[in-house]
Amino acid sequence: MSNSLIAPHGGELIINLADESEREELQERAQSLPRIEIGSRQLADLEMLASGAYSPLLGFLGREDYLSVVDHMHLSNGLPWSIPITLPVRQEKAAQLKEGEQVALVNSQGELQAVLYLEEKYSYDKRHEAQSVYRTQEEAHPGVKVLYQQGAVLLGGPVRVVALQSQAFAHYRYTPTRSRQLFEARGWKRIVGFQTRNPIHRAHEYIQKCALETVDGLYLHPLVGDTKGDDIPADVRMKCYEVLLENYYPADRVMLGVLPAAMRYAGPREAIFHALMRKNYGCSHFIVGRDHAGVGNYYGTYDAHYIFAEFDPVKLGITPMFFDHTFYCRTCEAMASTKTCPHPQDQHITLSGTRVRQMLQAGEIPPPEFSRPQVARVLIAAMHQSA
């Protein structure tokens, strides 16, 4: 077995962040370039492109790669890639831009974020993308809603990023280059990544520790980009992760970092996308639980497991670790799953998200078999502050 970390997707980290001298040159040049104001999702995409987390992408997808990703979940060169990374604009704005020119991408304050080398502009079928990527055309789906609201023309081409969005959680905001350095410093070769946008309860803790039994280290990597309005805020979640790691995990076997990407809620396709990003961060394995990146009832409970069978494992590179629904069983007197516990459901301690919220709002700590008390106390305090 190799003594080094897993290679990034495509073989090398593609860092699209301009260095200091290039940045000065681009900022000067941008003053005379056409400008496009971009929103929070594209700002997050720029950060991911800048750091190499979206390797092997050089920028926003051109038409050939876009169609290949939407229809076949691969880039046109054959590499797996399941979510289209695009830059949409309104038709009237696109009409003012010429292919072959450079475009300044600015934030809502008008500050330069990146320069796009516009290779092509092209129209696309939003309903087709919705059905292919999200498996639904319903606007009630949060990812589809964003898609339907965005511009009708896509701009494709490489970017050079000159500034990054707000650096919340800077202490944990490791780039793939940095996470790889930290893994190597710890002597880790086999690292399992865990994606989450929720607080971690006993079920998550159980599957993380099951995975950790078989590898060198766990990279707890919560997403802190855009999420749905009713998801628990990232700062509250981070406090939950900190108290959990401090009290229940071995410090030399676990690392906490944040993923600044926006959430798409694309279910199975997003499971592939999340795995490929973690490969770039240096993870050799990736945990996929039930209804990964799902929302509502749009995806089957284990669709995010089944989709991995549609890819060549060698091209994918990262190894998925699948886990079924887990719970505390009174008869087993332990955490278990449907794979390991033979007892009926009335022996399982499971609580709906609604019931947990009701308990926390009432200041009640859920049963210790469901949630660690330290985590519950953080959530109760946050709910009372926002009430």
Side-chain angles (χ1 to χ4, degrees), residues 365-385:
I365 291 180
E369 298 87 355
F370 179 83
S371 184
R372 297 294 189 185
Q374 293 89 341
V375 172
R377 281 194 281 270
V378 169
L379 294 170
I380 288 168
M383 283 186 172
H384 287 175
Q385 277 177 354

Side-chain angles (χ1 to χ4, degrees), residues 135-247:
R135 302 190 180 187
T136 180
Q137 295 183 5
E138 291 181 16
E139 194 168 354
H141 184 292
V144 174
K145 184 179 181 183
V146 170
L147 172 61
Y148 287 174
Q149 289 175 345
Q150 69 189 28
V153 178
L154 299 179
L155 306 182
V159 294
R160 298 301 290 168
V161 181
V162 300
L164 298 175
Q165 60 172 339
S166 129
Q167 293 295 292
F169 315 110
H171 178 58
Y172 293 116
R173 215 175 183 102
Y174 304 121
T175 63
T177 303
R178 183 64 181 142
S179 62
R180 286 169 169 271
Q181 289 169 346
L182 292 169
F183 296 159
E184 287 186 329
R186 291 175 173 223
W188 295 355
K189 307 286 187 300
R190 290 160 50 85
I191 299 109
V192 63
F194 185 82
Q195 149 74 29
T196 180
R197 65 175 201 267
N198 295 307
I200 289 174
H201 295 300
R202 293 294 300 277
H204 309 109
E205 180 184 334
Y206 172 71
I207 63 176
Q208 289 167 12
K209 288 181 174 177
C210 284
L212 187 50
E213 293 285 5
T214 71
V215 296
D216 301 327
L218 166 69
Y219 192 29
L220 180 56
H221 207 208
L223 180 144
V224 296
D226 286 358
T227 58
K228 293 190 285 83
D230 59 351
D231 280 348
I232 289 172
D235 60 331
V236 177
R237 291 189 285 118
M238 290 303 290
K239 284 180 194 159
C240 291
Y241 307 141
E242 287 169 343
V243 298
L244 190 68
L245 295 191
E246 189 182 326
N247 288 282

Side-chain angles (χ1 to χ4, degrees), residues 101-362:
E101 72 180 356
Q102 294 172 18
V103 180
L105 306 182
V106 302
N107 64 14
S108 57
Q109 285 81 47
E111 297 160 340
L112 181 68
Q113 303 296 296
V115 171
L116 167 73
Y117 295 77
L118 180 58
E119 291 182 343
E120 54 186 324
K121 49 183 182 173
Y122 56 99
S123 58
Y124 64 112
D125 183 338
K126 291 185 182 185
R127 296 187 77 79
H128 177 65
E129 180 180 329
Q131 190 62 51
S132 297
V133 174
Y134 298 102
R135 302 190 180 187
T136 180
Q137 295 183 5
E138 291 181 16
E139 194 168 354
H141 184 292
V144 174
K145 184 179 181 183
V146 170
L147 172 61
Y148 287 174
Q149 289 175 345
Q150 69 189 28
V153 178
L154 299 179
L155 306 182
V159 294
R160 298 301 290 168
V161 181
V162 300
L164 298 175
Q165 60 172 339
S166 129
Q167 293 295 292
F169 315 110
H171 178 58
Y172 293 116
R173 215 175 183 102
Y174 304 121
T175 63
T177 303
R178 183 64 181 142
S179 62
R180 286 169 169 271
Q181 289 169 346
L182 292 169
F183 296 159
E184 287 186 329
R186 291 175 173 223
W188 295 355
K189 307 286 187 300
R190 290 160 50 85
I191 299 109
V192 63
F194 185 82
Q195 149 74 29
T196 180
R197 65 175 201 267
N198 295 307
I200 289 174
H201 295 300
R202 293 294 300 277
H204 309 109
E205 180 184 334
Y206 172 71
I207 63 176
Q208 289 167 12
K209 288 181 174 177
C210 284
L212 187 50
E213 293 285 5
T214 71
V215 296
D216 301 327
L218 166 69
Y219 192 29
L220 180 56
H221 207 208
L223 180 144
V224 296
D226 286 358
T227 58
K228 293 190 285 83
D230 59 351
D231 280 348
I232 289 172
D235 60 331
V236 177
R237 291 189 285 118
M238 290 303 290
K239 284 180 194 159
C240 291
Y241 307 141
E242 287 169 343
V243 298
L244 190 68
L245 295 191
E246 189 182 326
N247 288 282
Y248 297 102
Y249 287 68
D252 60 343
R253 297 287 309 283
V254 182
M255 201 169 100
L256 174 62
V258 297
L259 182 76
M263 194 73 202
R264 265 81 177 175
Y265 302 95
R269 278 198 184 225
E270 196 156 8
I272 298 292
F273 182 53
H274 284 162
L276 292 176
M277 284 191 281
R278 278 22 181 257
K279 176 185 177 184
N280 285 328
Y281 279 91
C283 296
S284 56
H285 295 69
F286 182 66
I287 293 170
V288 186
R290 63 197 281 269
D291 198 24
H292 185 103
V295 63
N297 296 310
Y298 289 103
Y299 312 110
T301 306
Y302 298 112
D303 283 357
H305 293 189
Y306 307 144
I307 195 171
F308 280 82
E310 299 178 37
F311 292 83
D312 176 346
V314 175
K315 285 186 177 176
L316 209 55
I318 190 167
T319 304
M321 300 179 81
F322 302 129
F323 287 91
D324 281 11
H325 176 48
T326 55
F327 43 79
Y328 185 89
C329 172
R330 293 186 182 94
T331 309
C332 292
E333 296 184 329
M335 297 299 298
S337 77
T338 44
K339 282 183 176 175
T340 56
C341 170
H343 302 115
Q345 282 191 350
D346 63 8
Q347 292 304 299
H348 302 165
I349 296 179
T350 55
L351 296 172
S352 69
T354 304
R355 178 71 189 115
V356 173
R357 273 192 294 276
Q358 287 170 346
M359 293 181 78
L360 295 171
Q361 280 162 350

